[in-house]
Amino acid sequence: QVQLVESGGGLVRAGDSLRLSCAASLGSFISYKMGWFRQAPGKEREFVAAIGWSAGATYYADSLKERCTISRSAKNTVYLQINSLKPEDTAVYFCAAGYRVLSGNPEDYDYWGQGTQVTVSS
């Protein structure tokens, strides 16, 4: 069973913080990488952050690294903390899993969740 289920999105106010969660379950045990992407209305999919199999291996989009923290638990749950939310953060946020490399390229990911909507009001 392949399962990537995002949660934690919703309607928030500018300046608020959110922690998104992704519960990941793949059919076999692999040293996979996890990433977060987002897609806003009228824009292409944008990389946010990624985390590797080993602890300490993280990668952030330059524009978001000051406000975002990615982490993962031993239960294959990955988190994305976003601070000081802005209206331009409004997007559907997707969790993804990949076998290949720690990457910000969506083509390097094999499995995707359905996404969770984050709407930031001004």
Side-chain angles (χ1 to χ4, degrees):
Q1 292 292 115
V2 178
Q3 179 180 293
L4 298 173
V5 181
E6 302 95 336
S7 63
L11 176 62
V12 297
R13 309 279 290 189
D16 286 353
S17 296
L18 275 180
R19 190 177 73 166
L20 306 180
S21 298
C22 175
S25 179
L26 301 180
S28 60
F29 181 81
I30 55 171
S31 298
Y32 59 89
K33 289 77 180 176
M34 301 292 296
W36 285 97
F37 295 79
R38 68 184 185 182
Q39 189 161 18
K43 299 181 66 176
E44 294 185 347
R45 187 182 298 148
E46 177 187 17
F47 170 69
V48 177
I51 189 165
W53 179 256
S54 60
T58 58
Y59 177 44
Y60 296 93
D62 287 342
S63 61
L64 293 167
K65 62 184 179 181
E66 300 299 326
R67 298 190 291 120
C68 294
T69 302
I70 189 170
S71 60
R72 70 190 300 170
S73 73
K75 296 293 184 179
N76 293 328
T77 300
V78 64
Y79 304 96
L80 179 70
Q81 177 77 28
I82 313 174
N83 299 321
S84 302
L85 285 158
K86 306 173 182 179
E88 49 263 48
D89 293 321
T90 295
V92 177
Y93 285 72
F94 296 94
C95 176
Y99 301 107
R100 301 173 183 87
V101 296
L102 188 66
S103 172
N105 185 351
E107 298 297 325
D108 290 327
Y109 292 83
D110 302 284
Y111 304 104
W112 295 82
Q114 290 295 116
T116 184
Q117 177 72 48
V118 174
T119 302
V120 184
S121 63
S122 59

